[in-house]
Amino acid sequence: MKIKQVLEALEQFAPLPLQESWDNAGLQVGLTEADVSGALLCLDVNEHIVDEALRRGCNLIVSHHPLLFRGLKQIGDANYVQRCVIKALKNDVAVVSMHTNMDNAKGGVNWKIAEKLGLTDVAFFATKQTDGVEAGSGVVGRLPEPLAADDFVLRVKKCFDVECAQCNELLRRPVSWVAICGGAGDFLLDEAVACGADAFITGEMHYHQYFDYEQKIQICVIGHYQSEQFTTEVFRDIIRQQCPGVQTYIAETNTNPILYL
């Protein structure tokens, strides 16, 4: 199985046209004609991730966040991005990223979050059509049973193993319908309210956006990395189903740059 076949399988699931205009999903570094020795699956690419790929004998890294967001005007050792490019090229490691195309794809990042929470009747609430493919920036689904707002927050914290959640005033009605946008999803807050959701889960939100939503919707912000941590399972399942025989490894390296002290 060649690297390009794994890339094709990922892009068939989450076509590149689904990505946002500012994004840079797809092949980041390397050649795709080589046979796959193994695929390391991660959220971010840094030097520790490249080292882990080499330790595990993987010549392919599949990340959620792109290594290359902007063009490189030089390749030296000025920052971790340049150093990662050099290390990957020197060791014949290809890097592929599935970012907002995977956010927007059916069965992608937000659907995985919904699955972890046990939501049913999951559907897009911020829909878009791209080349005839149904897509959306967020999903909404129903909890197995209504929960009081504090119990809902506890459920979210347990599911995502987070130490704390940033919330607005606790809702004084049961939470049944939950809107989700992994990562930085505050741009969908008003659409979450409009679709009738009782709660909105995302990874990060601006301070001023917490105002004026008291008793309209329960905001629950759990951290960018934490909200998307299970994206690697989406990658794993796609590769296992479409590229049988390719060894996949979910990275043990925690690349979250934020510490909670």
Side-chain angles (χ1 to χ4, degrees), residues 11-223:
E11 291 183 3
Q12 183 178 12
F13 184 94
L16 291 183
L18 296 185
Q19 70 180 309
E20 303 297 334
S21 59
W22 47 264
D23 202 4
N24 186 41
L27 179 67
Q28 307 284 294
V29 177
L31 304 176
T32 62
E33 288 291 341
D35 292 336
V36 186
S37 61
L40 183 68
L41 316 176
C42 58
L43 246 63
D44 313 281
V45 182
N46 60 21
E47 291 164 282
H48 298 299
I49 285 290
V50 181
D51 289 339
E52 182 177 345
L54 296 176
R55 280 198 314 273
R56 291 178 177 271
C58 297
N59 65 351
L60 174 61
I61 295 171
V62 180
S63 71
H64 182 44
H65 299 133
L67 174 64
L68 303 176
F69 266 116
R70 303 168 186 86
L72 293 177
K73 294 188 176 181
Q74 67 177 44
I75 301 178
D77 62 355
N79 55 52
Y80 83 94
V81 174
Q82 294 180 25
R83 293 191 294 271
C84 283
V85 170
I86 289 175
K87 183 173 284 191
L89 289 173
K90 277 186 174 180
N91 292 280
D92 297 319
V93 175
V95 179
V96 166
S97 301
M98 297 284 114
H99 190 212
T100 53
N101 55 320
M102 190 61 72
D103 289 331
N104 292 331
K106 187 171 185 178
V109 176
N110 296 314
W111 297 75
K112 176 57 71 171
I113 296 171
E115 176 191 313
K116 292 295 180 179
L117 287 167
L119 302 188
T120 60
D121 303 317
V122 179
F124 289 122
F125 74 89
T127 59
K128 58 181 76 175
Q129 287 283 336
T130 304
D131 294 341
V133 178
E134 184 187 11
S137 300
V139 302
V140 63
R142 184 166 56 187
L143 287 167
E145 66 282 325
L147 294 174
D150 54 348
D151 290 330
F152 166 73
V153 174
L154 288 174
R155 182 188 183 107
V156 174
K157 289 175 63 177
K158 182 178 180 181
C159 284
F160 292 88
D161 191 26
V162 296
E163 300 170 24
C164 63
Q166 293 178 298
C167 304
N168 61 342
E169 178 182 272
L170 288 177
L171 202 65
R172 293 192 292 273
R173 68 172 189 268
V175 174
S176 293
W177 288 91
V178 181
I180 294 167
C181 182
D186 53 11
F187 67 100
L188 285 180
L189 182 55
D190 286 332
E191 290 189 63
V193 174
C195 81
D198 302 303
F200 179 58
I201 299 172
T202 190
E204 58 181 282
M205 239 175 65
H206 289 89
Y207 171 81
H208 290 285
Q209 289 190 279
Y210 288 84
F211 286 100
D212 204 30
Y213 287 91
E214 296 84 2
Q215 301 309 312
K216 292 181 182 178
I217 195 166
Q218 182 64 64
I219 297 170
C220 188
V221 179
I222 61 175

